[in-house]
């Protein structure tokens, strides 16, 4: 995908009327007032819309527990979704009814689909290096951070200059999954290239200021409280877009971060060029980060913190990966 292609901005919440009349807009406004992340907002609205359409576009206030149970059964029997997907759908609808509509669902009496947890695909260390070697900057640097720091692609593209602490050797992830902040490792291998990249960002910022480009997007109410922050280097994205997309909330062009689809496509092509025939993607770097640390003997709870997992059971899935790739057993055909 070419950098010159203008893609829609994906992580700036669109503006809403102060008194919305559409049901889903009212739901969105409630979630923003309640402090939900934009990622959660999009997910919950998706499932609310899906539920409404499934129910013949009936208004949710006319539906209830039986309709929700029927919908979850449909997801399991007709759509063959995983139990985690069912739980996400139920969480969205439970929030819709229990919190927004104030119509508690009570005991739904639903049994989740039981499917074994899927073992994540991981790169070996050599495979990861081969894929990274096939990439060009800035995608190469982002891949190094995904593998070396355990970043999700959404976290890599949203990094701002202020989030990298070169002196202390760590990266701060702001508003990660679950709207949580965390710190993770800053790979020494990436330090020099990151400093070069930030120098490039600084030059781009100078050009944007000279050309009258609008300041960078600031979250929450920061733009109103501190209007000059948007023109400070600290708040610029480490990986800016080469085009100026339109901010859906303000309706103006401004410098945003590179789009995830651009990076995903570059990594997909690099995996193919590296002749790695696995069901791999950009997220495989994050899985490989956790598995590599376990392989080197890192404490599971420390890895949980670095990955930003709220539940240790999520981190424990990588123990199964080690069981799969461990060298504690050999095939009989390889015996002397």
């Amino acid at each position: 995908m070419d950098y010159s292609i203008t893609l829609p901005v994906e992580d700036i919440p669109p503006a809403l009327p102060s008194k919305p009349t559409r049901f889903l807009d009212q739901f969105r406004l409630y979630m923003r007032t309640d402090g939900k992340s934009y990622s959660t907002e999009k997910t919950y609205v998706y499932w609310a819309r899906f539920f409404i359409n499934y129910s013949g576009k009936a208004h949710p206030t006319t539906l209830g527990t039986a309709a929700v149970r029927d919908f979850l059964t449909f997801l399991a029997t007709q759509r063959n979704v995983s139990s985690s997907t069912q739980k996400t759908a139920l969480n969205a609808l439970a929030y819709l009814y229990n919190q927004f509509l104030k119509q508690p669902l009570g005991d739904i009496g639903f049994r989740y689909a039981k499917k074994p947890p899927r073992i994540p695909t991981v790169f070996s260390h050599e495979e990861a290096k081969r894929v990274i070697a096939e990439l060009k900057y800035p995608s190469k640097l982002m891949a190094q951070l995904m593998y070396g720091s355990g970043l999700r692609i959404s976290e890599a593209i949203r990094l701002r200059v202020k989030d990298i602490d070169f002196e202390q050797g760590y990266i701060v992830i702001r508003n990660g999954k679950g709207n949580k902040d965390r710190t993770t490792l800053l790979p020494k291998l990436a330090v020099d290239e990151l400093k070069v990249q930030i120098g490039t960002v600084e030059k781009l910022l100078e050009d944007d200021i000279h050309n009258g480009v609008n300041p960078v997007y600031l979250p929450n109410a920061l733009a109103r409280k501190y209007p000059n922050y948007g023109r400070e280097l600290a708040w610029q994205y480490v990986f800016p877009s080469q085009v100026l997309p339109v901010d859906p909330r303000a309706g103006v062009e401004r410098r945003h971060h590179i789009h995830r689809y651009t990076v995903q496509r570059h990594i997909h092509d690099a995996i193919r060029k590296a002749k790695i025939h696995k069901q791999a993607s950009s997220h495989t770097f994050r899985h490989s980060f956790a598995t590599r640390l376990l392989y080197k003997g890192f404490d599971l709870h420390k890895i949980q913190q670095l990955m930003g997992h709220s539940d240790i059971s999520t981190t424990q899935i990588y123990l199964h990966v080690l069981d799969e790739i461990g060298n504690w057993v050999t095939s009989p055909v390889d015996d002397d």
Side-chain angles (χ1 to χ4, degrees), residues 6 63 106 128 146 154 202 257 300 303:
T6 303
L63 304 170
M146 284 184 268
S154 59
E202 185 173 20
H257 58 66
L300 192 66
I303 297 173

Side-chain angles (χ1 to χ4, degrees), residues 223-258:
R224 291 196 301 272
K225 293 180 180 178
Y226 308 103
N228 293 327
Y229 275 13
R231 297 194 187 280
E232 292 183 6
L233 178 61
W235 283 93
Q236 305 309 304
Y237 290 109
V238 176
F239 303 106
S241 171
Q242 296 304 301
V243 296
L244 296 173
V246 176
D247 180 334
R249 175 166 288 191
V252 298
E253 290 185 340
R254 66 171 86 248
R255 184 77 58 189
H256 202 54
H257 58 66
I258 190 171

Side-chain angles (χ1 to χ4, degrees), residues 7-16 28 32 36-42 154 157-158 160 175 214-221 223 235 237 241 243-260:
L7 294 165
V9 176
E10 59 179 333
D11 54 7
I12 299 179
L16 292 173
R28 285 183 183 274
R32 292 183 190 181
K36 293 294 184 186
S37 70
Y38 184 44
S39 175
T40 298
E41 175 187 319
K42 290 189 291 184
S154 59
I157 62 176
R158 292 203 311 263
R160 300 194 192 233
N175 303 116
N214 289 287
V216 71
Y217 167 75
L218 298 177
N220 305 319
W235 283 93
Y237 290 109
S241 171
V243 296
L244 296 173
V246 176
D247 180 334
R249 175 166 288 191
V252 298
E253 290 185 340
R254 66 171 86 248
R255 184 77 58 189
H256 202 54
H257 58 66
I258 190 171
H259 203 284
R260 72 165 68 207

Side-chain angles (χ1 to χ4, degrees), residues 160-204:
R160 300 194 192 233
V161 173
K162 68 182 182 61
D163 298 330
I164 301 174
D165 191 321
F166 290 108
E167 294 299 322
Q168 301 297 322
Y170 64 81
I171 298 173
V172 180
I173 308 302
R174 311 282 182 183
N175 303 116
K177 191 172 183 180
N179 210 24
K180 297 177 294 185
D181 292 354
R182 74 178 193 278
T183 58
T184 188
L185 309 174
L186 171 60
K188 294 180 181 179
L189 179 69
V191 167
D192 289 343
E193 291 296 343
L194 275 171
K195 289 181 177 179
V196 171
Q197 178 66 18
I198 290 172
T200 300
V201 172
E202 185 173 20
K203 178 62 170 63
L204 186 61

Side-chain angles (χ1 to χ4, degrees), residues 62 67 100 109 116 138 187 204 219 244 255 283 293 335:
T62 67
F100 177 56
L204 186 61
L244 296 173
R255 184 77 58 189
H283 205 64
L293 292 186
D335 291 343

